[in-house]
Amino acid sequence: MVIRRGRAAWHVGTVRGARPETPSARRIVLDVPTWPGNAAGQHLDVRLTAPDGYQATRSYSIATSGPDTLLELAVDELPDGEVSPFLVHELAVGDELEVHGPLGAFFVWRPDETSSAPVLLIAGGSGVVPLVAMARAHAAAGDPTPFRLVYSVRTPDDVYFEKELADAAASATAPLQVDYIYSRVTGRLTRDTLAAVAFPVSAAPQVFVCGPTAFVEAVAGWLVDIGHSPTSIRTERFGGT
């Protein structure tokens, strides 16, 4: 796999597909001919311009990686937002979007730069999107690194990329273990639950945590309390409207 690692730039993409992902989110497939490729975990900015010239820009994680110019996003609607309601309800196949990227060099996983340490992915809600990109890259590369995802989400209906995660889990050469925590069914993720399902401290895993700010801060704190090294933990908080 070769990714042209160039400087982030503005591009124009065309919507090739759009469908509901969860009751409040929509999956969007963009064709961006000038896209230079991206690593798993990176994100982009979407810019909308109103007829009067007003512009709004928001960041969204990319669920795909590699040199492909077809990008997948999953946008969760915030009812009072400026950007997400348009992307979820009004954006149509054939529409064009301005996107800026790829962005982010720290919160990434590359199969050609791995160590022998296992990888622990921890997601809250739509924070799973960049971790899906990592799981897909892991499966596509047939990488033998042990991968485990702890996914905290409200209900089974709110799971993002369910089929893609199942496909990654079924990989013969690079399986992904997924543990779902349904906060409105069995209760929220706790430090004790995390300690029970995570790789042991002795395995010295590389950890990626993504989700709402409060979730990320709590999980990162629990990991350190359990004994994981702060230097092994990479975090990304999502937000925006």
Side-chain angles (χ1 to χ4, degrees), residues 2 38 101 122-123 140 142 151 164 201 210-211 234 238:
V2 178
N38 63 278
I122 306 173
Y151 187 8
E164 287 75 11
V201 173
C210 187
R234 300 188 181 190
F238 69 77

Side-chain angles (χ1 to χ4, degrees), residues 219-230 233:
V219 168
W222 295 338
L223 289 166
V224 173
D225 289 345
I226 292 166
H228 293 277
S229 169
I233 302 168

Side-chain angles (χ1 to χ4, degrees), residues 25-63:
R26 191 185 196 196
R27 185 185 305 203
I28 299 169
V29 180
L30 288 176
D31 181 7
V32 189
T34 57
W35 189 252
N38 63 278
Q42 288 190 294
H43 62 278
L44 53 72
D45 289 339
V46 172
R47 181 169 66 190
L48 301 182
T49 303
D52 62 1
Y54 174 78
Q55 293 183 325
T57 303
R58 298 292 183 271
S59 296
Y60 294 100
S61 295
I62 308 168

Side-chain angles (χ1 to χ4, degrees), residues 205-222:
Q206 183 179 12
V207 187
F208 295 88
V209 187
C210 187
T213 297
F215 174 88
V216 171
E217 291 180 351
V219 168
W222 295 338

Side-chain angles (χ1 to χ4, degrees), residues 162-230:
E162 183 174 18
K163 181 181 183 301
E164 287 75 11
L165 290 175
D167 289 345
S171 170
T173 56
L176 167 74
Q177 179 176 331
V178 183
D179 291 289
Y180 291 98
I181 309 295
Y182 299 118
S183 61
R184 292 188 179 177
V185 179
T186 58
R188 293 186 177 185
L189 180 67
T190 65
R191 184 177 68 176
D192 290 344
T193 302
L194 181 60
V197 298
F199 288 114
V201 173
S202 59
Q206 183 179 12
V207 187
F208 295 88
V209 187
C210 187
T213 297
F215 174 88
V216 171
E217 291 180 351
V219 168
W222 295 338
L223 289 166
V224 173
D225 289 345
I226 292 166
H228 293 277
S229 169

Side-chain angles (χ1 to χ4, degrees), residues 111 136-145 171 173-174:
R136 284 171 144 179
H138 176 245
D143 187 275
T145 305
S171 170
T173 56

